[in-house]
């Protein structure tokens, strides 16, 4: 197999079930809360109740802020379509396309309805990051080289930096300032 032939996938892709960063944030905050609960018997009198409420409220607010900052659920949308699956093909597939926009990038999913069509499993979950301006365009170019299906590339193309839709500039600027305000 040649590496320059785009329709062939170089590595296996599996659908992503959950974001590990959010799980890490929640575990760290729960460990911190458990530590304060263990320390709690050492605090005397009425201050004990005040300290536990103060610490747990602060941890809860911090966990929510960090989770929102790293989540991909800022804006969500999905649609069921009948579309062309691959470039230069007239084969149509029934699929559901999902878009999850977050502060750090976006996820585009493509799930066949049914999942197995034309002797293939149509179940994709692709992440495009825009932490830097060049990163999104690089991720999009890698998706082109890997031969992603047309529906994913079509949606991702709307967010590249040279797109006439200018969605990239709008979402990057708003996510940058929203993230900065939360930090």
């Amino acid at each position: 197999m040649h590496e320059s032939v785009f329709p062939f996938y170089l590595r296996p892709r599996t659908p992503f079930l959950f974001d590990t960063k959010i799980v890490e944030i929640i575990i760290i905050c729960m460990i911190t809360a458990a530590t304060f609960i263990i320390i709690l018997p050492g605090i005397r009198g009425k201050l004990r109740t005040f300290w536990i409420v103060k610490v747990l409220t602060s941890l809860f607010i911090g966990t929510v802020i960090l989770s929102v900052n790293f989540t991909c659920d800022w804006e969500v949308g999905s649609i069921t379509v009948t579309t062309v699956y691959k470039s230069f093909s007239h084969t149509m597939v029934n699929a559901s396309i999902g878009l999850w926009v977050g502060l750090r990038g976006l996820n585009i999913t493509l799930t066949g309805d049914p999942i197995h069509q034309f002797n293939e499993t149509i179940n994709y979950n692709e992440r495009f990051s825009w932490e830097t301006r060049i990163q999104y365009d690089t991720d999009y170019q890698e998706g082109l080289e890997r031969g992603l299906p047309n529906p994913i590339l079509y949606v991702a193309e709307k967010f590249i930096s040279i797109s006439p839709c200018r969605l990239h500039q709008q979402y990057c600027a708003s996510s940058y300032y929203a993230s900065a305000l939360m930090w």
Side-chain angles (χ1 to χ4, degrees):
M1 228 186 269
H2 303 291
E3 288 188 28
S4 63
V5 179
F6 293 160
F8 296 107
Y9 299 107
L10 301 176
R11 59 181 181 206
R13 292 179 324 278
T14 57
F16 200 61
L17 300 176
F18 57 88
D19 192 4
T20 57
K21 288 181 183 178
I22 293 176
V23 173
E24 291 170 2
I25 291 168
I26 291 172
I27 288 174
I28 289 171
C29 290
M30 289 181 73
I31 290 172
T32 308
T35 304
F36 278 108
I37 290 173
I38 291 171
I39 294 172
L40 189 64
I43 301 173
R44 296 182 185 195
K46 294 180 181 179
L47 288 177
R48 182 181 305 172
T49 307
F50 173 72
W51 272 98
I52 192 70
V53 169
K54 181 178 172 182
V55 168
L56 291 181
T57 303
S58 299
L59 279 172
F60 176 74
I61 292 170
T63 303
V64 169
I65 289 172
L66 285 174
S67 298
V68 167
N69 206 353
F70 288 106
T71 189
C72 288
D73 294 344
W74 186 23
E75 195 167 344
V76 178
S78 67
I79 189 167
T80 303
V81 296
T82 301
T83 183
V84 175
Y85 177 55
K86 294 181 181 177
S87 297
F88 310 111
S89 172
H90 297 291
T91 306
M92 303 293 274
V93 295
N94 295 323
S96 175
I97 301 170
L99 176 67
W100 284 266
V101 180
L103 296 178
R104 306 252 184 249
L106 59 97
N107 270 357
I108 302 172
T109 61
L110 177 71
T111 306
D113 185 28
I115 289 179
H116 300 288
Q117 295 181 37
F118 304 109
N119 295 327
E120 286 190 51
T121 300
I122 302 173
N123 195 6
Y124 295 90
N125 188 346
E126 297 296 325
R127 175 152 176 80
F128 298 92
S129 176
W130 56 45
E131 291 186 22
T132 63
R133 181 174 185 214
I134 300 169
Q135 181 67 40
Y136 186 87
D137 291 340
T138 304
D139 288 349
Y140 179 74
Q141 186 64 34
E142 288 174 1
L144 283 172
E145 291 173 0
R146 284 196 328 244
L148 290 177
N150 269 0
I152 291 178
L153 292 175
Y154 180 79
V155 173
E157 184 180 24
K158 302 303 178 196
F159 290 90
I160 61 175
S161 60
I162 59 172
S163 172
C165 297
R166 301 191 57 82
L167 291 175
H168 185 269
Q169 287 84 358
Q170 293 171 3
Y171 277 100
C172 276
S174 59
S175 67
Y176 174 78
Y177 289 116
S179 180
L181 282 173
M182 282 194 278
W183 281 112

